[in-house]
């Protein structure tokens, strides 16, 4: 990742986190804004923020899967230049991190037998689409099953101390960065994203 794209990703993360917090806090009743009630409502706030981030995640993953279905199988090994990720690699990279972020920082284990290290080498269209669909279900099911207290619990991400729900900010930002990349790949190959038709 270049310094410029890393800076853009950091800015995006901060904006997403701020927007998610504002949305969640504005939904709390006025009584919950008192100092004593704020401490008691922290897990509920974490759950509300996580729910909003999951809605963003689901919307973006739906676009990813639609785009993966729209791309012809022969384009899965296409790349815009030497040393640049291929179409299928980008899709599998996203599927990989849909498991890696929750596994590494949210206490949500990847499915037994899943070889995350080997995922990014897959290029067969049917396998890629299936991997995207399964990784989406994994994130949605696992995070929805987490309690408010679990989502508010402490963890680490890239050496920073954060609450578990905040891992979803990174997950959505990472995915949207690659969604933009995939849209550009599609346009370069004269493929109109399905939601733009």
């Amino acid at each position: 990742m270049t310094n410029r794209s890393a800076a853009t990703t950091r800015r995006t993360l901060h904006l997403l986190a701020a927007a998610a917090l504002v949305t969640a806090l504005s939904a709390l009743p006025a009584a919950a804004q008192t100092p004593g009630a704020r401490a008691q409502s922290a897990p509920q706030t974490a759950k509300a923020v996580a729910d909003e981030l999951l809605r963003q995640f689901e919307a973006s993953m739906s676009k990813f899967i639609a785009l993966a279905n729209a791309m012809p199988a022969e384009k899965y090994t296409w790349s815009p230049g030497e040393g640049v990720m291929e179409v299928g690699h980008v899709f599998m990279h996203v599927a990989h991190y849909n498991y890696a972020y929750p596994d590494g920082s949210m206490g949500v284990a990847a499915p037994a037998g899943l070889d995350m290290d080997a995922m990014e080498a897959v290029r067969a269209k049917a396998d890629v689409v299936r991997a995207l669909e399964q990784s989406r279900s994994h994130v949605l099911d696992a995070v929805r099953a987490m309690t408010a207290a679990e989502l508010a619990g402490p963890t680490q991400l890239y050496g920073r101390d954060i609450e578990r729900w905040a891992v979803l900010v990174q997950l959505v930002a990472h995915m949207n960065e690659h969604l933009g990349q995939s849209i550009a790949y599609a346009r370069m190959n004269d493929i109109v994203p399905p939601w733009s038709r």
Side-chain angles (χ1 to χ4, degrees):
M1 184 180 295
T2 66
N3 286 340
R4 183 176 177 182
S5 63
T8 301
T9 299
R10 281 193 299 275
R11 280 195 303 276
T12 302
L13 285 172
H14 290 140
L15 289 172
L16 281 171
L21 281 173
V22 167
T23 300
L25 291 173
S26 67
L28 293 174
Q33 301 302 316
T34 63
R38 259 189 301 232
Q40 293 175 346
S41 69
Q44 287 74 27
T45 299
K47 185 71 168 172
V49 171
D51 287 347
E52 178 57 31
L53 287 166
L54 283 181
R55 280 190 282 278
Q56 298 299 321
F57 171 84
E58 191 166 19
S60 293
M61 277 306 296
S62 294
K63 287 182 177 180
F64 242 116
I65 292 166
L67 196 56
N69 278 308
M71 291 292 284
E74 64 272 14
K75 294 294 184 182
Y76 271 61
T77 54
W78 179 89
S79 167
E82 188 177 343
V84 182
M85 293 172 87
E86 298 173 343
V87 167
H89 188 180
V90 175
F91 292 150
M92 290 306 292
H93 179 73
V94 168
H96 173 190
Y97 278 90
N98 283 349
Y99 294 110
Y101 282 127
D103 184 68
S105 296
M106 294 184 79
V108 175
L114 179 70
D115 186 352
M116 286 192 285
D117 293 332
M119 286 183 73
E120 296 195 27
V122 175
R123 295 294 179 274
K125 179 176 178 173
D127 294 337
V128 170
V129 171
R130 187 178 316 106
L132 286 169
E133 291 171 341
Q134 289 173 344
S135 73
R136 173 181 60 183
S137 294
H138 172 75
V139 171
L140 293 173
D141 293 346
V143 176
R144 285 176 177 153
M146 292 177 76
T147 66
E150 288 171 332
L151 287 163
T155 191
Q156 282 204 332
L157 181 66
Y158 296 127
R160 294 180 297 116
D161 294 324
I162 59 172
E163 292 183 4
R164 285 193 189 105
W165 66 262
V167 176
L168 296 173
V169 176
Q170 174 63 31
L171 185 63
V172 171
H174 174 260
M175 179 177 49
N176 283 340
E177 177 182 348
H178 290 297
L179 179 58
Q181 178 183 15
S182 297
I183 292 167
Y185 280 15
R187 295 286 188 179
M188 291 170 77
N189 284 281
D190 298 318
I191 296 162
V192 178
W195 60 90
S196 297
R197 293 176 187 161

